[in-house]
Amino acid sequence: MSTIESVLNESRVFPPSAEFIEQANVSGPEAYRKLCNEAETDYQAFWAQQARKHILWHKPFTQILDDSESPFIKWFSDGELNVSYNCLDRHLTTQPDKTAIIFESDEGEVLSATYRDLHQRVCKLANALKAHNLTKGDRVVIYMPMRIEAVVAMQACARIGAIHSVVFGGFSSKSLHERITDAGAKAVITADEQVRGGKHHALKTTVDEALGMGGTESVNTVIVYQRSGCPIPFNPARDLWWHEIMQETSTNCEPVWVNAEHPLFTLYTSGSTGKPKGVQHSSAGYLLGTMVSMEWVFDYKPSDIFWCTADVGWITGHSYVTYGPLAMGATQIIFEGVPTYPHPGRFWEIIDKHHVTTFYTAPTAIRSLIKLGADLPDHYHLSSLRLLGSVGEPINPEAWMWFYQKIGRSRCPIVDTWWQTETGCHMIAPLPGALSLKPGSCTLPLPGIVASVVDENGQEVERGRGGFLVIKKPFPSQIRTLWKDPERFKKAYFPHDVAGGRYYLAGDSAHRDENGYFWIMGRIDDVLNVSGHRLGTMEIESSLVANPLVAEAAVVGKPHEVKGEAIVAFVVLKGDFPQETDKARIVTELQEWVAQEIGPIAKPEEIRFGENLPKTRSGKIMRRLLRALAKGEEITQDVSTLENPAILDQLRQAH
């Protein structure tokens, strides 16, 4: 790989305020450097100290890191714990009546649960699972709406040592079937339906379809939560009503103590092609990662009202809804709906109503909200906010500035977090009381995370040049393997053709600037090769979104006889969808804009307009579908998770 060229030039810097530094958990750059130096001086002792500080151990560990069979690593491997105990029981003597979850439904109903309430509900469901012959090591697939019950289901599995695998409620019966069969699940926990944006989506019917596809004989129990009471198919020999089994069980359930390396969950990532990959996380190392990142990156305080908008079907909802906040004893918001229903100010209304202090969401949501009403936040009181966060993909500088100025009122730091399903928690992100911020940069690695940008040989590339983003040392929250597929695990994350398989390969390209800050340039497979220049898609997208006309943009490549690849941009404008007579003029204007911002080499050959981009219901742009559209290929992938499948036809016809 010739190094990837960095073409984005962003020079704005935002240091933390004196007030924020003074109250921060990691206060000032010296405190950050001290933590990093401790990790560098004795890496294993550093992580052992963090594990003893944060985790309540049933049996303390004496072994720290075992990497003798690398990349199959073990942390704290002779220790024993229970993750649910660490999230719930630990608070019963200190703050049982503190609100753990404030839930707001799609329709606006508000419910809450204290730590005592949550503990009792988790114990009751855990007892019900045990009563139906579920035990340590058994797999449970969870296919639920974004409600308190989804968290209860995950915690109940953790309590008895069952391995949960949460499937996002937007996945089709085929996708659900693949995950049930691969996991060999003994039970499925679901609901009659979910309600999002005023729309009702069947869940139990989808589960029945998945179980009817064959190869699911391992499933002998289906627990159904009654969300709306709609009529559903019900098999009395297999199906159980959530509310009935909860009435029959005790509020006491002793936690099952498990080894530190016992799998807490598997979470399937679809990847670009092929069979879903079951990412397997350990109990202790994963929990530790979520807790230190809550303390360092989110600067967690007991008075915080924390809101991560992610669904529990994704890793962000695992780490920063179900596990991290509860282990720290936080009060958090769980929201069932979408940011645009019943009006486009719903997010800002919730922040105002519940006095949210920490707000963590995705760049795609931010850009969509800008399009729906850039000045809407002015109508809400957002003064409770003290910290903002971004997750899911690189945030372009213009969206960063809007988020900072309009939502944070130019006083709340933004923690732009780079991490993955496979890393379990934040890897590169600003510690907000210690580091200055640059719009679009995830800044520097967390203490104890050894990240670098290298070429194929594992050599660091020079500053300003792009390369492979890698993590050089094993870390506690790291993926342990792919479920039932260790060879695929090695090939995917420790491929021999990059640094000889010595380092964890993230799959992202990145570069570092003169201050050592990391800038994510996109997925390695999203790098474009235009006339011999290797360009990251994120930088071209950021350039387009910086134009006053543009709300969102996604860039892909298509084959070109002369250039090798030509740049195709899919663009959503801030205003109305352009008339045919205006399209040519806007295309020319945007092409010239990119040429001026970056250089002629980055100018899109083709620009297509859409009212939206193809996104999953979690807000992620499905770029592989855009690549197929750009090449004129038939789309054969499963598109059931798209929020707006009709947009594909519009973008196809836009050519």
Side-chain angles (χ1 to χ4, degrees), residues 544-604:
L544 283 163
V545 176
N547 184 284
L549 295 174
V550 178
E552 274 196 288
V555 167
V556 298
K558 73 171 185 179
H560 189 280
E561 288 181 5
V562 177
K563 298 178 180 179
E565 273 189 295
I567 298 169
V568 180
F570 294 85
V571 169
V572 179
L573 299 178
K574 285 179 180 171
D576 295 332
F577 192 74
Q579 301 293 321
E580 285 300 322
T581 51
D582 296 326
K583 282 184 180 177
R585 174 182 57 79
I586 298 173
V587 165
T588 301
E589 181 179 334
L590 294 179
Q591 286 173 327
E592 292 308 314
W593 171 273
V594 173
Q596 188 173 348
E597 288 277 303
I598 295 180
I601 192 66
K603 189 161 71 171

Side-chain angles (χ1 to χ4, degrees), residues 25-40:
N25 293 337
V26 180
S27 179
E30 299 80 13
Y32 167 73
R33 282 195 291 269
K34 182 173 181 290
L35 284 169
C36 293
N37 290 339
E38 286 174 10
E40 194 174 327

Side-chain angles (χ1 to χ4, degrees), residues 234-281:
F234 200 85
N235 176 359
R238 182 199 66 195
D239 300 345
L240 305 165
W241 283 114
W242 174 295
H243 58 274
E244 290 180 357
I245 61 173
M246 293 289 272
Q247 288 172 356
E248 298 164 0
T249 57
S250 164
T251 56
N252 292 313
C253 177
E254 285 300 308
V256 173
W257 306 108
V258 299
N259 182 271
E261 281 297 315
H262 179 73
L264 176 61
F265 64 86
T266 61
L267 184 57
Y268 285 86
T269 63
S270 52
S272 297
T273 57
K275 190 178 107 174
K277 301 182 300 225
V279 172
Q280 180 179 314
H281 275 291

Side-chain angles (χ1 to χ4, degrees), residues 126 155-156 176 257 365 382 470 489 536-537 547 591:
Q155 289 280 348
L176 181 60
W257 306 108
L382 305 180
V470 298
F489 164 72
T537 55
N547 184 284
Q591 286 173 327

Side-chain angles (χ1 to χ4, degrees), residues 333-366:
I333 305 292
I334 290 182
F335 174 49
E336 183 181 35
V338 298
T340 55
Y341 179 84
H343 55 82
R346 186 74 184 271
F347 268 11
W348 321 132
E349 179 184 74
I350 290 173
I351 291 170
D352 186 346
K353 183 195 305 183
H354 300 298
H355 310 294
V356 172
T357 61
T358 305
F359 179 58
Y360 190 39
T361 195
T364 47
I366 295 165

Side-chain angles (χ1 to χ4, degrees), residues 39-166:
E40 194 174 327
T41 302
D42 192 333
Y43 190 71
Q44 294 197 31
F46 173 81
W47 282 116
Q49 179 189 18
Q50 296 300 324
R52 292 185 181 111
K53 172 186 172 183
H54 287 284
I55 293 175
L56 296 181
W57 295 90
H58 178 66
K59 177 189 171 190
F61 62 90
T62 62
Q63 299 169 354
I64 306 173
L65 170 64
D66 178 359
D67 58 357
S68 59
E69 297 180 30
S70 182
F72 302 98
I73 59 166
K74 296 176 182 176
W75 283 90
F76 323 121
S77 59
D78 60 344
E80 290 182 359
L81 76 160
N82 180 277
V83 172
S84 172
Y85 181 90
N86 272 271
C87 291
L88 301 174
D89 303 57
R90 72 187 305 165
H91 307 302
L92 295 182
T93 54
T94 57
Q95 50 178 24
D97 297 319
K98 181 177 182 179
T99 300
I101 296 173
I102 300 167
F103 168 74
E104 183 161 326
S105 75
D106 191 64
E107 301 91 342
E109 178 189 23
V110 176
L111 304 169
S112 63
T114 65
Y115 274 93
R116 182 188 284 113
D117 297 334
L118 202 56
H119 176 263
Q120 290 180 352
R121 290 163 73 170
V122 167
C123 285
K124 285 166 79 74
L125 184 60
N127 283 327
L129 294 175
K130 290 197 297 184
H132 289 86
N133 302 314
L134 285 146
T135 187
K136 183 170 81 169
D138 288 340
R139 275 80 64 204
V140 178
V141 164
I142 298 171
Y143 186 64
M144 292 281 285
M146 187 57 187
R147 297 179 67 91
I148 296 174
E149 288 75 17
V151 173
V152 169
M154 296 165 77
Q155 289 280 348
C157 290
R159 195 161 193 85
I160 66 169
I163 303 166
H164 65 66
S165 187
V166 184

